[in-house]
Structure formats: C-alpha cells, structure tokens
Short mmCIF file of all heavy atoms in Angstrom, two decimals:
data_model
loop_
_atom_site.label_atom_id
_atom_site.label_comp_id
_atom_site.label_asym_id
_atom_site.label_seq_id
_atom_site.Cartn_x
_atom_site.Cartn_y
_atom_site.Cartn_z
N ILE A 1 -12.60 -0.81 -5.70
CA ILE A 1 -11.20 -0.51 -5.46
C ILE A 1 -10.85 -0.72 -3.99
O ILE A 1 -9.79 -1.21 -3.67
CB ILE A 1 -10.88 0.94 -5.90
CG1 ILE A 1 -10.99 1.09 -7.41
CG2 ILE A 1 -9.52 1.38 -5.43
CD1 ILE A 1 -9.95 0.37 -8.21
N GLU A 2 -11.74 -0.33 -3.10
CA GLU A 2 -11.43 -0.45 -1.68
C GLU A 2 -11.23 -1.90 -1.26
O GLU A 2 -10.27 -2.20 -0.54
CB GLU A 2 -12.52 0.20 -0.83
CG GLU A 2 -12.10 0.36 0.62
CD GLU A 2 -12.95 1.36 1.38
OE1 GLU A 2 -13.87 1.95 0.80
OE2 GLU A 2 -12.68 1.53 2.58
N ASN A 3 -12.09 -2.80 -1.74
CA ASN A 3 -11.94 -4.21 -1.39
C ASN A 3 -10.69 -4.83 -1.98
O ASN A 3 -10.03 -5.65 -1.36
CB ASN A 3 -13.17 -5.01 -1.82
CG ASN A 3 -14.38 -4.69 -1.00
OD1 ASN A 3 -14.30 -4.23 0.13
ND2 ASN A 3 -15.54 -4.92 -1.58
N LEU A 4 -10.36 -4.44 -3.20
CA LEU A 4 -9.22 -5.04 -3.91
C LEU A 4 -7.89 -4.45 -3.49
O LEU A 4 -6.92 -5.17 -3.23
CB LEU A 4 -9.41 -4.87 -5.41
CG LEU A 4 -8.35 -5.48 -6.31
CD1 LEU A 4 -8.32 -6.99 -6.18
CD2 LEU A 4 -8.62 -5.09 -7.75
N LEU A 5 -7.81 -3.11 -3.39
CA LEU A 5 -6.53 -2.45 -3.16
C LEU A 5 -6.42 -1.73 -1.82
O LEU A 5 -5.33 -1.29 -1.45
CB LEU A 5 -6.24 -1.47 -4.30
CG LEU A 5 -6.13 -2.10 -5.69
CD1 LEU A 5 -5.92 -1.02 -6.74
CD2 LEU A 5 -5.00 -3.12 -5.74
N GLY A 6 -7.54 -1.54 -1.13
CA GLY A 6 -7.48 -0.93 0.19
C GLY A 6 -7.63 0.58 0.23
O GLY A 6 -7.58 1.17 1.30
N TYR A 7 -7.78 1.22 -0.92
CA TYR A 7 -7.95 2.67 -0.97
C TYR A 7 -9.42 3.02 -1.02
O TYR A 7 -10.18 2.42 -1.76
CB TYR A 7 -7.30 3.25 -2.23
CG TYR A 7 -5.80 3.14 -2.27
CD1 TYR A 7 -5.19 2.10 -2.95
CD2 TYR A 7 -5.00 4.09 -1.64
CE1 TYR A 7 -3.81 2.00 -3.01
CE2 TYR A 7 -3.62 4.00 -1.70
CZ TYR A 7 -3.04 2.95 -2.37
OH TYR A 7 -1.67 2.86 -2.44
N SER A 8 -9.82 4.03 -0.26
CA SER A 8 -11.20 4.50 -0.33
C SER A 8 -11.36 5.41 -1.54
O SER A 8 -10.38 5.93 -2.09
CB SER A 8 -11.57 5.28 0.94
OG SER A 8 -10.88 6.52 0.97
N GLU A 9 -12.59 5.61 -1.94
CA GLU A 9 -12.88 6.51 -3.06
C GLU A 9 -12.36 7.92 -2.76
O GLU A 9 -11.80 8.58 -3.63
CB GLU A 9 -14.39 6.55 -3.30
CG GLU A 9 -14.81 7.35 -4.49
CD GLU A 9 -16.31 7.31 -4.72
OE1 GLU A 9 -16.95 6.28 -4.42
OE2 GLU A 9 -16.85 8.32 -5.20
N LYS A 10 -12.51 8.34 -1.53
CA LYS A 10 -12.06 9.67 -1.13
C LYS A 10 -10.54 9.82 -1.28
O LYS A 10 -10.05 10.87 -1.69
CB LYS A 10 -12.48 9.94 0.32
CG LYS A 10 -12.20 11.33 0.80
CD LYS A 10 -12.73 11.53 2.20
CE LYS A 10 -12.46 12.94 2.68
NZ LYS A 10 -12.99 13.17 4.02
N GLU A 11 -9.80 8.77 -0.95
CA GLU A 11 -8.34 8.83 -1.06
C GLU A 11 -7.87 8.96 -2.51
O GLU A 11 -6.81 9.52 -2.77
CB GLU A 11 -7.70 7.57 -0.47
CG GLU A 11 -7.78 7.49 1.03
CD GLU A 11 -7.25 6.17 1.55
OE1 GLU A 11 -7.93 5.14 1.32
OE2 GLU A 11 -6.18 6.18 2.17
N LEU A 12 -8.64 8.42 -3.44
CA LEU A 12 -8.23 8.41 -4.84
C LEU A 12 -8.85 9.53 -5.67
O LEU A 12 -8.41 9.77 -6.79
CB LEU A 12 -8.56 7.06 -5.47
CG LEU A 12 -7.81 5.88 -4.88
CD1 LEU A 12 -8.30 4.59 -5.50
CD2 LEU A 12 -6.31 6.04 -5.06
N ALA A 13 -9.84 10.21 -5.14
CA ALA A 13 -10.54 11.26 -5.89
C ALA A 13 -9.55 12.32 -6.37
O ALA A 13 -8.76 12.85 -5.59
CB ALA A 13 -11.62 11.89 -5.04
N GLY A 14 -9.59 12.59 -7.67
CA GLY A 14 -8.75 13.63 -8.24
C GLY A 14 -7.32 13.21 -8.54
O GLY A 14 -6.53 14.01 -9.04
N ARG A 15 -6.97 11.97 -8.29
CA ARG A 15 -5.61 11.49 -8.54
C ARG A 15 -5.57 10.68 -9.83
O ARG A 15 -6.56 10.10 -10.23
CB ARG A 15 -5.12 10.64 -7.37
CG ARG A 15 -5.12 11.44 -6.07
CD ARG A 15 -4.57 10.68 -4.94
NE ARG A 15 -3.14 10.49 -5.14
CZ ARG A 15 -2.40 9.74 -4.34
NH1 ARG A 15 -2.95 9.10 -3.33
NH2 ARG A 15 -1.11 9.60 -4.55
N GLU A 16 -4.43 10.61 -10.46
CA GLU A 16 -4.26 9.80 -11.66
C GLU A 16 -4.27 8.32 -11.29
O GLU A 16 -3.79 7.94 -10.22
CB GLU A 16 -2.93 10.12 -12.34
CG GLU A 16 -2.88 11.48 -12.96
CD GLU A 16 -1.58 11.71 -13.72
OE1 GLU A 16 -0.69 10.83 -13.69
OE2 GLU A 16 -1.48 12.76 -14.35
N CYS A 17 -4.79 7.52 -12.20
CA CYS A 17 -4.83 6.08 -11.96
C CYS A 17 -3.44 5.48 -11.83
O CYS A 17 -3.25 4.43 -11.23
CB CYS A 17 -5.62 5.36 -13.04
SG CYS A 17 -4.85 5.45 -14.67
N SER A 18 -2.44 6.16 -12.37
CA SER A 18 -1.07 5.63 -12.33
C SER A 18 -0.52 5.49 -10.92
O SER A 18 0.44 4.75 -10.72
CB SER A 18 -0.15 6.51 -13.17
OG SER A 18 -0.07 7.81 -12.62
N VAL A 19 -1.13 6.16 -9.93
CA VAL A 19 -0.64 6.01 -8.55
C VAL A 19 -0.86 4.59 -8.05
O VAL A 19 -0.23 4.18 -7.08
CB VAL A 19 -1.29 7.02 -7.58
CG1 VAL A 19 -1.01 8.45 -7.99
CG2 VAL A 19 -2.77 6.77 -7.42
N LEU A 20 -1.72 3.83 -8.71
CA LEU A 20 -2.00 2.46 -8.30
C LEU A 20 -1.07 1.45 -8.95
O LEU A 20 -1.11 0.27 -8.63
CB LEU A 20 -3.45 2.09 -8.64
CG LEU A 20 -4.51 2.96 -8.00
CD1 LEU A 20 -5.88 2.59 -8.52
CD2 LEU A 20 -4.45 2.84 -6.49
N LEU A 21 -0.22 1.91 -9.87
CA LEU A 21 0.66 0.99 -10.59
C LEU A 21 2.01 0.90 -9.89
O LEU A 21 2.65 1.91 -9.63
CB LEU A 21 0.84 1.46 -12.03
CG LEU A 21 -0.45 1.61 -12.83
CD1 LEU A 21 -0.15 2.10 -14.22
CD2 LEU A 21 -1.23 0.32 -12.86
N GLY A 22 2.43 -0.33 -9.62
CA GLY A 22 3.67 -0.54 -8.88
C GLY A 22 4.93 -0.30 -9.68
O GLY A 22 5.87 0.34 -9.22
N ASP A 23 4.99 -0.81 -10.89
CA ASP A 23 6.19 -0.74 -11.71
C ASP A 23 6.23 0.58 -12.47
O ASP A 23 5.31 0.89 -13.23
CB ASP A 23 6.20 -1.91 -12.69
CG ASP A 23 7.49 -2.03 -13.47
OD1 ASP A 23 8.17 -1.01 -13.71
OD2 ASP A 23 7.84 -3.17 -13.85
N PRO A 24 7.29 1.37 -12.31
CA PRO A 24 7.38 2.65 -13.02
C PRO A 24 7.27 2.49 -14.54
O PRO A 24 6.75 3.37 -15.22
CB PRO A 24 8.75 3.19 -12.64
CG PRO A 24 9.08 2.52 -11.36
CD PRO A 24 8.43 1.17 -11.41
N ARG A 25 7.72 1.37 -15.09
CA ARG A 25 7.60 1.16 -16.54
C ARG A 25 6.14 1.04 -16.95
O ARG A 25 5.75 1.52 -18.01
CB ARG A 25 8.38 -0.08 -16.96
CG ARG A 25 9.90 0.11 -16.81
CD ARG A 25 10.62 -1.18 -17.04
NE ARG A 25 10.19 -2.10 -15.97
CZ ARG A 25 10.69 -3.30 -15.76
NH1 ARG A 25 11.61 -3.77 -16.56
NH2 ARG A 25 10.28 -4.05 -14.77
N ASP A 26 5.32 0.40 -16.09
CA ASP A 26 3.89 0.32 -16.37
C ASP A 26 3.27 1.70 -16.35
O ASP A 26 2.48 2.06 -17.21
CB ASP A 26 3.17 -0.57 -15.34
CG ASP A 26 3.51 -2.04 -15.49
OD1 ASP A 26 3.95 -2.47 -16.58
OD2 ASP A 26 3.33 -2.78 -14.50
N ARG A 27 3.62 2.50 -15.34
CA ARG A 27 3.10 3.86 -15.25
C ARG A 27 3.47 4.66 -16.49
O ARG A 27 2.63 5.34 -17.08
CB ARG A 27 3.65 4.57 -14.01
CG ARG A 27 2.98 4.15 -12.74
CD ARG A 27 3.49 4.99 -11.61
NE ARG A 27 4.86 4.56 -11.33
CZ ARG A 27 5.34 4.27 -10.13
NH1 ARG A 27 4.59 4.41 -9.09
NH2 ARG A 27 6.56 3.87 -9.98
N ASP A 28 4.74 4.57 -16.89
CA ASP A 28 5.20 5.33 -18.06
C ASP A 28 4.44 4.92 -19.32
O ASP A 28 4.04 5.77 -20.11
CB ASP A 28 6.70 5.14 -18.27
CG ASP A 28 7.54 5.79 -17.18
OD1 ASP A 28 6.99 6.62 -16.41
OD2 ASP A 28 8.73 5.46 -17.09
N ALA A 29 4.26 3.61 -19.51
CA ALA A 29 3.58 3.11 -20.71
C ALA A 29 2.13 3.56 -20.75
O ALA A 29 1.62 3.99 -21.79
CB ALA A 29 3.66 1.59 -20.77
N VAL A 30 1.45 3.48 -19.62
CA VAL A 30 0.04 3.88 -19.55
C VAL A 30 -0.09 5.39 -19.79
O VAL A 30 -0.91 5.83 -20.59
CB VAL A 30 -0.59 3.48 -18.20
CG1 VAL A 30 -1.93 4.15 -17.99
CG2 VAL A 30 -0.71 1.97 -18.11
N LEU A 31 0.71 6.19 -19.12
CA LEU A 31 0.63 7.64 -19.27
C LEU A 31 0.99 8.08 -20.68
O LEU A 31 0.37 8.98 -21.23
CB LEU A 31 1.50 8.34 -18.23
CG LEU A 31 1.02 8.20 -16.79
CD1 LEU A 31 2.04 8.81 -15.83
CD2 LEU A 31 -0.35 8.83 -16.61
N GLN A 32 1.99 7.43 -21.29
CA GLN A 32 2.37 7.78 -22.66
C GLN A 32 1.22 7.50 -23.62
O GLN A 32 0.91 8.32 -24.48
CB GLN A 32 3.62 7.00 -23.08
CG GLN A 32 4.10 7.33 -24.47
CD GLN A 32 4.59 8.77 -24.60
OE1 GLN A 32 5.09 9.36 -23.65
NE2 GLN A 32 4.43 9.34 -25.77
N ALA A 33 0.58 6.35 -23.48
CA ALA A 33 -0.55 6.01 -24.35
C ALA A 33 -1.68 7.03 -24.18
O ALA A 33 -2.27 7.49 -25.16
CB ALA A 33 -1.05 4.61 -24.05
N LEU A 34 -1.96 7.42 -22.95
CA LEU A 34 -3.03 8.38 -22.70
C LEU A 34 -2.68 9.75 -23.27
O LEU A 34 -3.54 10.44 -23.83
CB LEU A 34 -3.34 8.48 -21.21
CG LEU A 34 -3.96 7.22 -20.59
CD1 LEU A 34 -4.07 7.37 -19.08
CD2 LEU A 34 -5.30 6.90 -21.22
N ARG A 35 -1.42 10.15 -23.15
CA ARG A 35 -0.99 11.44 -23.72
C ARG A 35 -1.17 11.46 -25.23
O ARG A 35 -1.43 12.50 -25.82
CB ARG A 35 0.47 11.73 -23.36
CG ARG A 35 0.65 12.33 -21.98
CD ARG A 35 2.04 12.89 -21.80
NE ARG A 35 3.06 11.89 -21.62
CZ ARG A 35 3.35 11.27 -20.48
NH1 ARG A 35 2.67 11.53 -19.40
NH2 ARG A 35 4.31 10.38 -20.42
N GLU A 36 -1.00 10.30 -25.86
CA GLU A 36 -1.11 10.21 -27.31
C GLU A 36 -2.53 9.87 -27.76
O GLU A 36 -2.76 9.54 -28.91
CB GLU A 36 -0.12 9.17 -27.83
CG GLU A 36 1.32 9.57 -27.60
CD GLU A 36 2.31 8.48 -27.97
OE1 GLU A 36 1.89 7.38 -28.39
OE2 GLU A 36 3.52 8.73 -27.83
N ASN A 37 -3.48 9.94 -26.83
CA ASN A 37 -4.89 9.61 -27.11
C ASN A 37 -5.08 8.18 -27.60
O ASN A 37 -6.00 7.90 -28.36
CB ASN A 37 -5.51 10.59 -28.10
CG ASN A 37 -6.03 11.83 -27.43
OD1 ASN A 37 -6.24 11.86 -26.22
ND2 ASN A 37 -6.24 12.87 -28.22
N GLU A 38 -4.21 7.29 -27.18
CA GLU A 38 -4.32 5.88 -27.52
C GLU A 38 -5.12 5.17 -26.43
O GLU A 38 -4.95 5.47 -25.25
CB GLU A 38 -2.94 5.24 -27.61
CG GLU A 38 -2.06 5.81 -28.70
CD GLU A 38 -2.50 5.37 -30.07
OE1 GLU A 38 -3.04 4.25 -30.21
OE2 GLU A 38 -2.31 6.15 -31.01
N PRO A 39 -5.97 4.22 -26.80
CA PRO A 39 -6.63 3.42 -25.77
C PRO A 39 -5.59 2.53 -25.07
O PRO A 39 -4.59 2.15 -25.67
CB PRO A 39 -7.64 2.58 -26.54
CG PRO A 39 -7.24 2.65 -27.96
CD PRO A 39 -6.39 3.86 -28.14
N VAL A 40 -5.84 2.22 -23.82
CA VAL A 40 -4.93 1.40 -23.03
C VAL A 40 -5.62 0.11 -22.66
O VAL A 40 -6.77 0.11 -22.20
CB VAL A 40 -4.51 2.14 -21.73
CG1 VAL A 40 -3.66 1.26 -20.85
CG2 VAL A 40 -3.81 3.44 -22.05
N SER A 41 -4.94 -1.00 -22.85
CA SER A 41 -5.38 -2.30 -22.36
C SER A 41 -4.11 -3.08 -22.08
O SER A 41 -3.38 -3.44 -23.01
CB SER A 41 -6.25 -3.02 -23.39
OG SER A 41 -6.67 -4.26 -22.85
N GLN A 42 -3.84 -3.31 -20.81
CA GLN A 42 -2.52 -3.82 -20.44
C GLN A 42 -2.60 -4.61 -19.14
O GLN A 42 -3.33 -4.25 -18.22
CB GLN A 42 -1.61 -2.61 -20.29
CG GLN A 42 -0.19 -2.88 -20.09
CD GLN A 42 0.62 -1.59 -20.18
OE1 GLN A 42 0.23 -0.61 -20.82
NE2 GLN A 42 1.74 -1.58 -19.52
N ASP A 43 -1.81 -5.69 -19.06
CA ASP A 43 -1.63 -6.42 -17.80
C ASP A 43 -0.51 -5.73 -17.04
O ASP A 43 0.58 -5.52 -17.58
CB ASP A 43 -1.26 -7.88 -18.06
CG ASP A 43 -2.40 -8.66 -18.70
OD1 ASP A 43 -3.56 -8.37 -18.37
OD2 ASP A 43 -2.12 -9.55 -19.52
N VAL A 44 -0.79 -5.36 -15.79
CA VAL A 44 0.19 -4.63 -14.97
C VAL A 44 0.17 -5.15 -13.55
O VAL A 44 -0.69 -5.94 -13.17
CB VAL A 44 -0.11 -3.10 -14.96
CG1 VAL A 44 0.00 -2.52 -16.35
CG2 VAL A 44 -1.46 -2.82 -14.36
N GLN A 45 1.10 -4.68 -12.75
CA GLN A 45 1.12 -4.94 -11.32
C GLN A 45 0.52 -3.73 -10.61
O GLN A 45 1.00 -2.61 -10.78
CB GLN A 45 2.55 -5.17 -10.82
CG GLN A 45 3.19 -6.44 -11.31
CD GLN A 45 2.54 -7.67 -10.72
OE1 GLN A 45 1.89 -8.42 -11.43
NE2 GLN A 45 2.68 -7.87 -9.44
N ALA A 46 -0.55 -3.96 -9.85
CA ALA A 46 -1.15 -2.88 -9.07
C ALA A 46 -0.61 -2.95 -7.65
O ALA A 46 -0.37 -4.03 -7.11
CB ALA A 46 -2.67 -3.02 -9.05
N ARG A 47 -0.42 -1.79 -7.06
CA ARG A 47 0.10 -1.72 -5.69
C ARG A 47 -1.04 -1.45 -4.73
O ARG A 47 -1.76 -0.46 -4.85
CB ARG A 47 1.15 -0.65 -5.56
CG ARG A 47 1.69 -0.56 -4.12
CD ARG A 47 2.91 0.30 -4.00
NE ARG A 47 4.01 -0.37 -4.66
CZ ARG A 47 4.94 0.25 -5.37
NH1 ARG A 47 4.90 1.53 -5.52
NH2 ARG A 47 5.92 -0.42 -5.93
N ARG A 48 -1.20 -2.34 -3.77
CA ARG A 48 -2.20 -2.15 -2.72
C ARG A 48 -1.72 -1.09 -1.73
O ARG A 48 -0.53 -0.77 -1.68
CB ARG A 48 -2.43 -3.46 -1.97
CG ARG A 48 -3.12 -4.50 -2.78
CD ARG A 48 -3.32 -5.74 -1.93
NE ARG A 48 -4.19 -6.67 -2.60
CZ ARG A 48 -4.03 -7.99 -2.56
NH1 ARG A 48 -3.05 -8.53 -1.87
NH2 ARG A 48 -4.87 -8.77 -3.20
N LYS A 49 -2.63 -0.62 -0.94
CA LYS A 49 -2.31 0.40 0.07
C LYS A 49 -1.24 -0.10 1.04
O LYS A 49 -0.40 0.66 1.49
CB LYS A 49 -3.58 0.79 0.82
CG LYS A 49 -3.41 1.98 1.73
CD LYS A 49 -4.75 2.38 2.31
CE LYS A 49 -4.60 3.57 3.22
NZ LYS A 49 -5.90 4.02 3.73
N ASP A 50 -1.24 -1.42 1.31
CA ASP A 50 -0.25 -1.98 2.24
C ASP A 50 1.10 -2.24 1.57
O ASP A 50 2.03 -2.73 2.20
CB ASP A 50 -0.77 -3.25 2.89
CG ASP A 50 -0.94 -4.42 1.92
OD1 ASP A 50 -0.52 -4.32 0.75
OD2 ASP A 50 -1.50 -5.45 2.35
N GLY A 51 1.23 -1.92 0.26
CA GLY A 51 2.50 -2.05 -0.44
C GLY A 51 2.66 -3.34 -1.23
O GLY A 51 3.57 -3.44 -2.05
N THR A 52 1.81 -4.33 -1.00
CA THR A 52 1.91 -5.56 -1.78
C THR A 52 1.39 -5.30 -3.19
O THR A 52 0.61 -4.38 -3.43
CB THR A 52 1.12 -6.72 -1.13
OG1 THR A 52 -0.27 -6.34 -1.02
CG2 THR A 52 1.67 -7.06 0.24
N GLU A 53 1.84 -6.12 -4.13
CA GLU A 53 1.42 -5.96 -5.52
C GLU A 53 0.66 -7.18 -6.00
O GLU A 53 0.94 -8.30 -5.57
CB GLU A 53 2.64 -5.71 -6.41
CG GLU A 53 3.31 -4.38 -6.10
CD GLU A 53 4.44 -4.05 -7.05
OE1 GLU A 53 4.74 -4.85 -7.96
OE2 GLU A 53 5.02 -2.97 -6.89
N ILE A 54 -0.31 -6.94 -6.89
CA ILE A 54 -1.10 -8.01 -7.48
C ILE A 54 -1.24 -7.76 -8.97
O ILE A 54 -1.24 -6.61 -9.41
CB ILE A 54 -2.50 -8.13 -6.83
CG1 ILE A 54 -3.28 -6.81 -6.99
CG2 ILE A 54 -2.41 -8.54 -5.37
CD1 ILE A 54 -4.74 -6.93 -6.61
N PRO A 55 -1.35 -8.83 -9.77
CA PRO A 55 -1.54 -8.63 -11.20
C PRO A 55 -2.98 -8.21 -11.51
O PRO A 55 -3.93 -8.76 -10.93
CB PRO A 55 -1.23 -10.01 -11.79
CG PRO A 55 -1.52 -10.96 -10.68
CD PRO A 55 -1.23 -10.23 -9.41
N VAL A 56 -3.14 -7.22 -12.37
CA VAL A 56 -4.46 -6.76 -12.80
C VAL A 56 -4.40 -6.40 -14.28
O VAL A 56 -3.33 -6.18 -14.83
CB VAL A 56 -4.96 -5.53 -12.00
CG1 VAL A 56 -5.13 -5.85 -10.53
CG2 VAL A 56 -4.05 -4.34 -12.18
N GLU A 57 -5.56 -6.34 -14.90
CA GLU A 57 -5.65 -5.84 -16.27
C GLU A 57 -6.35 -4.48 -16.20
O GLU A 57 -7.38 -4.34 -15.56
CB GLU A 57 -6.47 -6.77 -17.16
CG GLU A 57 -6.60 -6.26 -18.57
CD GLU A 57 -7.48 -7.15 -19.44
OE1 GLU A 57 -7.86 -8.24 -18.99
OE2 GLU A 57 -7.78 -6.72 -20.56
N ILE A 58 -5.76 -3.48 -16.83
CA ILE A 58 -6.40 -2.17 -16.87
C ILE A 58 -6.72 -1.83 -18.32
O ILE A 58 -6.04 -2.27 -19.24
CB ILE A 58 -5.53 -1.06 -16.25
CG1 ILE A 58 -4.23 -0.88 -17.01
CG2 ILE A 58 -5.28 -1.33 -14.78
CD1 ILE A 58 -3.49 0.39 -16.64
N SER A 59 -7.77 -1.08 -18.48
CA SER A 59 -8.10 -0.57 -19.81
C SER A 59 -8.79 0.76 -19.65
O SER A 59 -9.45 1.03 -18.64
CB SER A 59 -8.99 -1.55 -20.58
OG SER A 59 -10.20 -1.74 -19.90
N GLY A 60 -8.61 1.62 -20.62
CA GLY A 60 -9.23 2.93 -20.57
C GLY A 60 -8.73 3.79 -21.70
O GLY A 60 -7.94 3.37 -22.54
N ARG A 61 -9.20 5.00 -21.71
CA ARG A 61 -8.77 5.99 -22.69
C ARG A 61 -9.03 7.36 -22.13
O ARG A 61 -9.79 7.55 -21.19
CB ARG A 61 -9.47 5.80 -24.02
CG ARG A 61 -10.95 6.05 -23.94
CD ARG A 61 -11.62 5.75 -25.24
NE ARG A 61 -12.98 6.28 -25.17
CZ ARG A 61 -13.63 6.72 -26.20
NH1 ARG A 61 -13.09 6.69 -27.38
NH2 ARG A 61 -14.84 7.19 -26.06
N ARG A 62 -8.39 8.34 -22.72
CA ARG A 62 -8.57 9.72 -22.29
C ARG A 62 -9.98 10.15 -22.65
O ARG A 62 -10.49 9.85 -23.72
CB ARG A 62 -7.57 10.61 -23.00
CG ARG A 62 -7.74 12.08 -22.64
CD ARG A 62 -6.80 12.92 -23.41
NE ARG A 62 -5.53 12.97 -22.69
CZ ARG A 62 -4.49 13.67 -23.08
NH1 ARG A 62 -4.54 14.35 -24.19
NH2 ARG A 62 -3.41 13.68 -22.37
N THR A 63 -10.61 10.85 -21.74
CA THR A 63 -11.95 11.37 -22.00
C THR A 63 -11.97 12.87 -21.68
O THR A 63 -11.13 13.37 -20.96
CB THR A 63 -13.01 10.66 -21.15
OG1 THR A 63 -12.69 10.84 -19.77
CG2 THR A 63 -13.10 9.19 -21.47
N TYR A 64 -12.94 13.52 -22.23
CA TYR A 64 -13.09 14.96 -22.01
C TYR A 64 -14.45 15.22 -21.38
O TYR A 64 -15.45 14.61 -21.77
CB TYR A 64 -12.98 15.72 -23.33
CG TYR A 64 -11.61 15.61 -23.93
CD1 TYR A 64 -11.32 14.59 -24.82
CD2 TYR A 64 -10.61 16.51 -23.58
CE1 TYR A 64 -10.05 14.47 -25.36
CE2 TYR A 64 -9.34 16.39 -24.13
CZ TYR A 64 -9.07 15.38 -25.00
OH TYR A 64 -7.82 15.26 -25.54
N TRP A 65 -14.47 16.08 -20.41
CA TRP A 65 -15.69 16.45 -19.73
C TRP A 65 -15.78 17.96 -19.73
O TRP A 65 -14.93 18.63 -19.14
CB TRP A 65 -15.67 15.92 -18.30
CG TRP A 65 -16.91 16.22 -17.53
CD1 TRP A 65 -17.10 17.23 -16.64
CD2 TRP A 65 -18.12 15.50 -17.58
NE1 TRP A 65 -18.35 17.20 -16.13
CE2 TRP A 65 -19.01 16.13 -16.70
CE3 TRP A 65 -18.56 14.40 -18.29
CZ2 TRP A 65 -20.32 15.68 -16.51
CZ3 TRP A 65 -19.85 13.96 -18.08
CH2 TRP A 65 -20.71 14.60 -17.20
N THR A 66 -16.74 18.49 -20.41
CA THR A 66 -16.93 19.94 -20.57
C THR A 66 -15.63 20.65 -20.92
O THR A 66 -15.26 21.62 -20.28
CB THR A 66 -17.56 20.58 -19.31
OG1 THR A 66 -16.70 20.37 -18.18
CG2 THR A 66 -18.93 20.01 -19.02
N GLY A 67 -14.91 20.08 -21.90
CA GLY A 67 -13.70 20.72 -22.39
C GLY A 67 -12.45 20.44 -21.60
O GLY A 67 -11.38 20.90 -21.96
N ARG A 68 -12.55 19.69 -20.52
CA ARG A 68 -11.37 19.39 -19.69
C ARG A 68 -10.98 17.93 -19.91
O ARG A 68 -11.80 17.09 -20.19
CB ARG A 68 -11.66 19.61 -18.22
CG ARG A 68 -11.98 21.05 -17.91
CD ARG A 68 -12.23 21.33 -16.46
NE ARG A 68 -12.26 20.21 -15.57
CZ ARG A 68 -13.02 20.14 -14.51
NH1 ARG A 68 -13.84 21.11 -14.21
NH2 ARG A 68 -12.99 19.09 -13.72
N ARG A 69 -9.70 17.64 -19.69
CA ARG A 69 -9.22 16.27 -19.80
C ARG A 69 -9.36 15.58 -18.47
O ARG A 69 -9.27 16.12 -17.44
CB ARG A 69 -7.76 16.21 -20.18
CG ARG A 69 -7.50 16.69 -21.55
CD ARG A 69 -6.06 16.48 -21.85
NE ARG A 69 -5.63 17.63 -22.62
CZ ARG A 69 -4.42 17.80 -23.03
NH1 ARG A 69 -3.51 16.93 -22.75
NH2 ARG A 69 -4.09 18.83 -23.73
#
C-alpha cells in the first residue's frame, strides 16, 4: 500500500478500507455490500495520499475475528 498509494501501515491501521476510495459512489457500493455480507469485487478509483486517483480492483468480504467484525 505504501508504494502504491503513499500511506504507511501505521496510518491505515484500524481504519476502513473505504478511506482509500476516491468516488463516494464507490465507497457507498463497497460498504453496502459488506453490510449485507456480500463479497466485493469491483473496479474503483483509489485516492493516493497526495490526492491523485488511480484505477484499482478491490475484492474482499466481511470477516469475523473472535466474535468481532
């Protein structure tokens, strides 16, 4: 992530992945799918730390760790 988007691991620890998405519609779509326990696989615009955007593909799903989301 640091090489691609400019954020260190420490800067992103504990934050939602949606903070990296530039377009609010992309953020809404990803978060809605995760809320509904749907897997996500989508082409989106990611926002670098310097504010520029690049196309990326994201995929993931909600996971549980010791009873927490």
Side-chain angles (χ1 to χ4, degrees):
I1 293 291
E2 192 163 359
N3 290 336
L4 182 64
L5 299 176
Y7 293 97
S8 70
E9 185 178 328
K10 186 176 180 179
E11 289 175 290
L12 296 175
R15 300 184 70 186
E16 291 184 356
C17 65
S18 63
V19 300
L20 301 174
L21 303 179
D23 187 331
R25 292 172 296 186
D26 290 338
R27 283 185 288 229
D28 291 345
V30 167
L31 292 174
Q32 182 65 30
L34 293 173
R35 278 193 286 278
E36 295 174 359
N37 275 342
E38 297 287 329
V40 175
S41 181
Q42 187 171 335
D43 293 325
V44 298
Q45 291 292 112
R47 179 169 291 142
R48 291 181 170 143
K49 189 174 180 177
D50 68 7
T52 60
E53 294 186 359
I54 59 169
V56 297
E57 179 183 352
I58 62 167
S59 61
R61 65 184 191 149
R62 178 184 274 182
T63 59
Y64 295 90
W65 182 262
T66 60
R68 296 182 354 213
R69 293 184 218 178

